[in-house]
Amino acid sequence: MTDVDLLVAGAGGGLAGALRAAQQGLDVLVVDTDPNFRRGNNTSMSTAMVPGPGSRFQRAAGITDSPQRFLDDVARKTGGTADVRIASALAHVGAELVEWLADHVGVPVELPTDFAYPGHSVPRVHSLPGRHGAALLRHLADAAEDADRVDLLVPARLVEVRPRPGGTVCAVVANPDGQHEEITARAVLLATNGYGADPGLVGTHLPEIAGATYHGGEHSRGDALRIGAGLGAATGYLDAYQGHAALSAAARTLVTWAAVMHGAVVVDTGGRRFGDETRGYSEFAAELAARPGGRGWMVLDERIDGLCRSFRDYQDVLDAGAVRTADSAAGLARVLGVPAAALEAELDALARVAGGAGGAGVDVHGRSGVVALRAPLRAVEIVPALFHTQGGLLVDEHARVLDTAGAPVPGLYAAGGAAAGISGHGAAGYLAGNGLLAALGLSYLAAGHLARPVPAARPHAPEGAR
Ligand SMILES: Cc1cc2nc3c(=O)[nH]c(=O)nc-3n(C[C@H](O)[C@H](O)[C@H](O)COP(=O)(O)OP(=O)(O)OC[C@H]3O[C@@H](n4cnc5c(N)ncnc54)[C@H](O)[C@@H]3O)c2cc1C
């Protein structure tokens, strides 16, 4: 007998595992070290975008998609370096997951179809009105608080997991006084995110982004790596991360990259563009960090400004007074303090390419679908940021943590930033939504696996029958 069936450490994406397990009749305890987890963890800070390839929401919008198409996009974005087993498991559960969020958790799922995020060949990242993770987490946390079979213990930090006979585990949980409580469980799900808040680990594994602002949950301190190491767990992809090139310097919130997908461009402090922004916001973070001063400006116009107002993050940027306006390129350059000739040349080049033969063309950076920006112009000062790490404990398609020989560690699952994700190495393999897909999706898969009936032991054959 154990105290609970499943102990979930981390009330972010881990809540999906808690709810799914409870739905299947398991008793669950969720512990979180952060008393303000509802507003402080990565899931709550996110834009709430979750890929669901082949979902009913896509079908209703007339979008043809499939797990294989998503896998092809993952392979293209990661240069074929993503863990295929995990990518496939998440590709095949994505649609079920977003539909379950709508039907079981009550999330008002919607599918933005006016643009596709970098690397997605079709609109497939589902979100909810306002496109903010605080609302997503509120739905998950409220549902967990209402669920009979789910208890929440907050603040409480998982510090160790010990093996017990029969493949069960003992979770050692510290309360704020430093006192330890031992809780036995059939399994522990590590959903404690990655190591983005640990500058030492970031310096070791992610030197290219170590100097950038960290904009993620402050309790992402690598606990899963330490706890997993105590049980012989293997790690992988520790150099993988999600960066973002567009944190508003003034508002300290995200300027949505949807602005870029609608035509905005990024210039450095010299007023110059330095790449194809539509390749992806994650890899663009290190590229911006390497520019003089390590900061720049996102330049847009009134049309794009209007298209971005459905994002709560962009509204926050507006409310903070961080969006500058001018009636001409020269006027905007004066407001921003960048060389006017450089900015004018960049905007003229955009207009030339956009107006070229056949309409929107390809610019010198290889960006296609370029559009002209028309006065009145807008700009937001941006700094590069590290949002979360994508490497961690190696898991299988059921989210079971693997040891260095590739065998499952009994009673241990991992999800989200605690586990190695599907973004390959570095920053460039990150596709929008693959953080939450790994957080919610692996948790969901872990719960489903634990709830499966244990196969009955084979009856012992009599001696003579062998
Ligand atoms: C601004 C921003 C926007 C983003 N937008 C998106 C997006 O739209 N789509 C997407 O896919 N990804 C997005 N991401 C990334 C995404 O937020 C993360 O990949 C995802 O939320 C990670 O979920 P998680 O459950 O692993 O971690 P979290 O949501 O951070 O949850 C981990 C929890 O574990 C707790 N914890 C830590 N250690 C312990 C311990 N030892 N014991 C108990 N509790 C512990 C923490 O307090 C925390 O509450 C974004 C990130 C940021 C910062």
Side-chain angles (χ1 to χ4, degrees):
M1 275 296 282
T2 55
D3 297 326
V4 291
D5 292 306
L6 177 65
L7 184 139
V8 177
L15 289 172
L19 288 168
R20 180 70 177 148
Q23 189 189 13
Q24 297 186 74
L26 303 186
D27 290 320
V28 184
L29 176 66
V30 179
V31 299
D32 199 293
T33 192
D34 182 2
N36 299 315
F37 71 92
R38 278 172 174 261
R39 299 209 66 83
N41 65 27
N42 262 56
T43 301
S44 74
M45 296 171 74
S46 77
T47 317
M49 296 181 298
V50 187
S55 78
R56 69 169 190 249
F57 302 99
Q58 286 180 306
R59 282 199 300 280
I63 294 163
T64 305
D65 197 10
S66 66
Q68 187 55 50
R69 186 167 184 165
F70 175 62
L71 282 171
D72 291 344
D73 288 347
V74 169
R76 206 171 302 114
K77 193 80 170 73
T78 60
T81 61
D83 183 326
V84 176
R85 179 157 61 155
I86 308 308
S88 177
L90 290 174
H92 284 89
V93 82
E96 179 181 330
L97 175 69
V98 294
E99 292 173 10
W100 175 82
L101 285 171
D103 300 339
H104 184 72
V105 186
V107 177
V109 171
E110 63 177 25
L111 178 70
T113 53
D114 50 342
F115 65 96
Y117 276 97
H120 288 288
S121 55
V122 291
R124 67 160 70 94
V125 287
H126 300 65
S127 193
L128 73 176
R131 301 174 192 180
H132 205 283
L136 173 64
L137 192 65
R138 192 176 63 243
H139 282 285
L140 288 164
D142 287 351
E145 275 171 5
D146 289 348
D148 288 342
R149 289 184 176 276
V150 180
D151 284 324
L152 273 116
L153 185 62
V154 177
R157 181 179 190 185
L158 180 72
V159 291
E160 191 187 351
V161 177
R162 294 187 198 131
R164 291 177 79 237
T168 63
V169 285
C170 172
V172 183
V173 171
N175 68 25
D177 306 332
Q179 280 175 340
H180 286 184
E181 188 181 346
E182 296 188 357
I183 299 159
T184 59
R186 283 177 55 212
V188 164
L189 169 62
L190 296 172
T192 52
N193 209 344
Y195 60 84
D198 184 317
L201 287 172
V202 171
T204 302
H205 298 295
L206 311 173
E208 71 180 22
I209 199 74
T213 303
Y214 171 61
H215 186 70
E218 62 175 276
H219 295 279
S220 303
R221 296 179 185 159
D223 284 4
L225 293 177
R226 279 184 288 276
I227 292 167
L231 292 164
T235 59
Y237 295 97
L238 291 176
D239 61 341
Y241 69 96
Q242 183 205 352
H244 206 293
L247 188 69
S248 162
R252 291 284 142 179
T253 186
L254 179 64
V255 188
T256 171
W257 209 250
V260 161
M261 303 315 284
H262 284 303
V265 295
V266 172
V267 298
D268 62 15
T269 50
R272 287 288 180 193
R273 289 178 62 213
F274 49 91
D276 171 7
E277 298 87 349
T278 62
R279 273 183 293 121
Y281 48 74
S282 182
E283 56 268 56
F284 227 67
E287 292 176 34
L288 179 60
R291 304 303 293 177
R295 53 184 52 229
W297 297 90
M298 187 186 286
V299 182
L300 50 149
D301 62 12
E302 203 165 39
R303 178 187 67 87
I304 300 169
D305 171 280
L307 289 168
C308 293
R309 286 179 183 237
S310 59
F311 286 81
R312 205 193 91 185
D313 280 327
Y314 187 73
Q315 277 295 345
D316 290 343
V317 174
L318 278 168
D319 293 346
V323 182
R324 310 291 185 83
T325 306
D327 286 335
S328 66
L332 189 66
R334 264 195 307 281
V335 172
L336 309 187
V338 304
L343 188 61
E344 280 179 314
E346 291 294 357
L347 298 193
D348 285 350
L350 286 180
R352 259 197 321 280
V353 175
V362 178
D363 70 11
V364 291
H365 303 291
R367 176 171 173 170
S368 57
V370 170
V371 297
L373 298 180
R374 303 189 191 289
L377 297 165
R378 309 258 192 278
V380 186
E381 188 177 14
I382 51 174
V383 291
L386 168 63
F387 275 9
H388 72 281
T389 56
Q390 281 273 290
L393 304 177
L394 290 182
V395 296
D396 69 5
E397 68 274 25
H398 307 300
R400 290 183 296 187
V401 173
L402 301 175
D403 66 18
T404 49
V409 175
L412 197 63
Y413 296 89
I422 56 169
S423 300
H425 295 281
Y430 185 78
L431 269 177
N434 281 1
L436 285 175
L437 181 60
L440 303 167
L442 287 174
S443 296
Y444 184 92
L445 289 168
H449 184 262
L450 186 67
R452 282 184 195 173
V454 180
R458 282 237 217 100
H460 221 64
E463 278 299 313
R466 284 189 188 158

